[in-house]
Amino acid sequence: MTPKQKRVLDFILSFIEEHGFQPSQLEIAQGCGFESLGTVQHYLRSLERHGLLARQSNAKRGLQLTNPPCPPFAETLRGAGSPFAKGGTLSAGTIAKGETVTPQPLVASITFLELPLVGIVAAGKPVHAFELADAIEVPSAMAGPGNVVYEVRGDSMVEMGIMDGDYVAVHPQSVAENGQTVIAEVNGSITIKKYQRKGNTIQLLPANAAMSPITVTEEDEFHIRGILVGSMRFYRKWTGKSST
Amino acid sequence: MTPKQKRVLDFILSFIEEHGFQPSQLEIAQGCGFESLGTVQHYLRSLERHGLLARQSNAKRGLQLTNPPCPPFAETLRGAGSPFAKGGTLSAGTIAKGETVTPQPLVASITFLELPLVGIVAAGKPVHAFELADAIEVPSAMAGPGNVVYEVRGDSMVEMGIMDGDYVAVHPQSVAENGQTVIAEVNGSITIKKYQRKGNTIQLLPANAAMSPITVTEEDEFHIRGILVGSMRFYRKWTGKSST
DNA sequence: TGACTTACGAAAAACTTACGAGTATCCTCG
DNA sequence: CGAGGATACTCGTAAGTTTTTCGTAAGTCA
């Protein structure tokens, strides 16, 4: 990477940090001292080639840094301020070699969070999001205003590590950013994939790199239903395949 | 997000902080300098599409800020000021094609449970169960006396639908019944499989019938560490395999 | 009825793209 | 050492798109 390219990249980064949104090409030009938009265009393209950022074509301020400094989750989860940060000595007991695990007392009694369990994500069929008039507990990290929980039916999402009977917590929204895991409808089939947009094409990547991604074209009917916040599975005897 | 969108969002936020209740659309127009309600309408809609806020249709001052589901989730969630903390009416947002999932009142105030996060289940290697002196929230169905949570490292358990970074709740015990999902050590390797015993032979079945089971013989060193109660996964941008 | 929220339609403003072309720098080959 | 070539870097302008904005009429709720 050339120093100028780095300069542009750094500018974009700091701009985002400062303003909370992406700069326009004109703002980049001014910020980096370019007289022409063409110059910005040039750098944007080269940065894109290097995989440092992605652009959504024709989208205003449609720049996406590829490795945004997204704080590690565990940190925010247990970070300061969190009631779980108290880090008391929870002698967890080693499960090493032959030893037995010492039982641990449970902690806390804080507010619990439940989300409405709204529907069933059918595998390969259109969703029938009906109200189950039920609720399910979730860790607070999965909760949030508007979030709902789906019960997954079918094995169409195994490649994302989501299996029949799992519950997925989703935050409803119809747009997504690159890299987010979305629950989307493609041609009437509902699916969970990782969302990635390059220019005009939208790719839906499975979790496992070995599996082939789906490329969504203009002809496809494509709707994002929401983005995945978490998933849960409860084990019991003979989980899975309870026939059908 | 465009600067204007952010401006509107910020205004709503500060308005709520200042007045304690949501602004009307007219107030938003005045506060942001719009001449027309249509403009406000436009922004509200786009913010809603991005999942940044939820609207109760036709309700006066029916705006609900939604916290971005990505990083600062847990924190903002429990913080004062979060609509969630007081258990207001939260709209679930549109989910299905034409259907709209009606706003669900969320419940709250049940006992909150967290389990000690004890260690890391290494992939294909003997467990190094060390104390993390940390805890993680789980739904009550996963809690129980003695239960602990492991953070999974490695991809050796994908066939069970458990991936790198997942958390598994286990109830430590050294025996299992047929059909239970166990976390076991076989010849020094830790693994999660479904336990099945037929007469003298013990089989460990993967979740997917297509994969081949392991048959444990007498020569093998075999220990059951515990049985799986549940698993959880938290999604965020660029989940999985980014660098490392 | 009064206070708000929704629903179009349409025009101006803001941005992104595409193309063409002109320096400057660095490297290689004869 | 000098000529070619390849890159990096820079301008400017004319489309082509999307965002932003306005206004007005209609629908809701208490």
Side-chain angles (χ1 to χ4, degrees):
Chain A
M1 181 165 56
T2 71
K4 289 280 188 174
Q5 286 175 359
K6 179 169 169 48
R7 167 109 192 278
V8 173
L9 190 62
D10 285 345
F11 174 79
I12 297 175
L13 199 96
S14 62
F15 188 100
I16 292 180
E17 273 193 9
E18 184 178 345
H19 295 82
F21 49 85
Q22 299 92 328
S24 71
Q25 294 185 2
L26 184 60
E27 285 163 337
I28 294 177
Q30 290 167 348
C32 295
F34 302 139
E35 295 292 317
S36 167
L37 278 314
T39 310
V40 180
Q41 197 73 194
H42 165 75
Y43 284 109
L44 255 30
R45 204 155 2 222
S46 73
L47 286 174
E48 191 178 22
R49 263 203 308 275
H50 289 224
L52 265 28
L53 61 77
R55 294 193 293 173
Q56 297 176 26
S57 67
N58 282 323
K60 293 172 189 293
R61 302 172 187 276
L63 300 177
Q64 291 278 343
L65 291 199
T66 314
N67 45 0
C70 188
F73 200 62
E75 185 189 333
T76 67
L77 200 61
R78 316 173 192 119
S82 158
F84 312 111
K86 45 187 177 280
T89 324
L90 304 170
S91 132
T94 12
I95 306 209
K97 267 325 182 334
E99 314 171 29
T100 345
V101 180
T102 6
Q104 287 309 302
L106 300 192
V107 210
S109 61
I110 317 178
T111 315
F112 205 140
L113 303 173
E114 295 191 325
L115 290 186
L117 182 61
V118 291
I120 291 185
V121 173
K125 297 177 200 165
V127 215
H128 264 312
F130 53 89
E131 265 185 61
L132 289 187
D134 208 345
I136 187 169
E137 299 169 27
V138 298
S140 63
M142 291 187 198
N147 286 12
V148 291
V149 172
Y150 283 89
E151 184 179 347
V152 174
R153 275 296 145 74
D155 285 321
S156 67
M157 260 88 77
V158 283
E159 54 188 50
M160 285 298 291
I162 295 169
M163 307 168 70
D164 188 77
D166 286 11
Y167 297 91
V168 293
V170 345
H171 179 75
Q173 64 184 57
S174 56
V175 294
E177 292 176 44
N178 275 351
Q180 286 182 322
T181 304
V182 304
I183 164 171
E185 187 184 340
V186 186
N187 295 328
S189 295
I190 200 76
T191 186
I192 294 176
K193 289 273 162 60
K194 214 176 292 180
Y195 176 91
Q196 181 167 334
R197 177 168 189 166
K198 280 183 186 171
N200 270 331
T201 67
I202 294 174
Q203 280 197 328
L204 300 178
L205 289 63
N208 194 328
M211 307 210 135
S212 53
I214 300 177
T215 302
V216 178
T217 69
E218 302 232 335
E219 288 81 48
D220 294 316
E221 194 186 344
F222 177 69
H223 297 292
I224 294 177
R225 293 291 178 71
I227 72 177
L228 246 69
V229 179
S231 69
M232 300 187 305
R233 181 181 310 141
F234 301 96
Y235 291 91
R236 50 189 183 283
K237 282 172 88 172
W238 294 125
T239 287
K241 303 305 100 67
S242 53
S243 72
T244 325
Chain B
M1 180 166 54
T2 71
K4 289 283 185 172
Q5 286 175 2
K6 181 172 166 54
R7 168 118 186 268
V8 172
L9 188 63
D10 286 344
F11 173 79
I12 297 175
L13 199 96
S14 62
F15 188 100
I16 292 180
E17 273 192 9
E18 185 177 344
H19 296 80
F21 52 84
Q22 300 91 331
S24 72
Q25 294 186 1
L26 184 60
E27 286 164 335
I28 294 176
Q30 290 167 348
C32 296
F34 301 140
E35 296 291 317
S36 167
L37 277 316
T39 311
V40 180
Q41 198 71 197
H42 165 76
Y43 285 112
L44 256 30
R45 203 158 3 225
S46 80
L47 287 173
E48 190 178 24
R49 282 195 329 138
H50 281 83
L52 265 27
L53 60 77
R55 294 194 291 177
Q56 299 174 25
S57 67
N58 285 322
K60 296 172 198 254
R61 300 176 187 277
L63 299 177
Q64 282 291 342
L65 286 206
T66 285
N67 302 307
C70 212
F73 207 43
E75 186 193 339
T76 59
L77 196 63
R78 309 189 198 95
S82 162
F84 209 90
K86 350 182 223 271
T89 331
L90 306 169
S91 113
T94 30
I95 295 287
K97 221 26 160 316
E99 320 171 31
T100 309
V101 179
T102 11
Q104 293 301 306
L106 296 198
V107 205
S109 73
I110 313 181
T111 319
F112 202 157
L113 305 171
E114 53 176 14
L115 293 183
L117 183 63
V118 292
I120 291 185
V121 173
K125 298 175 197 163
V127 216
H128 265 310
F130 54 88
E131 260 186 66
L132 288 188
D134 213 337
I136 188 169
E137 302 166 27
V138 297
S140 61
M142 293 188 195
N147 286 12
V148 291
V149 173
Y150 284 88
E151 185 179 346
V152 174
R153 277 294 147 75
D155 285 321
S156 68
M157 259 87 79
V158 283
E159 55 187 48
M160 286 296 291
I162 295 170
M163 308 169 69
D164 189 76
D166 285 10
Y167 297 91
V168 294
V170 346
H171 180 75
Q173 65 183 52
S174 55
V175 295
E177 294 175 41
N178 273 354
Q180 284 183 321
T181 304
V182 303
I183 164 171
E185 187 182 341
V186 186
N187 295 328
S189 294
I190 199 73
T191 188
I192 295 176
K193 289 271 163 61
K194 216 176 291 182
Y195 176 90
Q196 182 168 342
R197 178 166 192 162
K198 282 182 185 172
N200 269 335
T201 65
I202 294 174
Q203 279 196 328
L204 300 178
L205 289 62
N208 194 328
M211 306 210 136
S212 52
I214 301 177
T215 302
V216 179
T217 68
E218 302 235 337
E219 290 82 48
D220 294 314
E221 192 186 345
F222 177 69
H223 298 291
I224 293 177
R225 293 291 177 70
I227 70 176
L228 245 67
V229 180
S231 69
M232 300 188 301
R233 181 181 311 141
F234 301 95
Y235 292 91
R236 56 178 187 281
K237 278 174 85 173
W238 296 121
T239 288
K241 313 304 102 75
S242 64
S243 72
T244 329

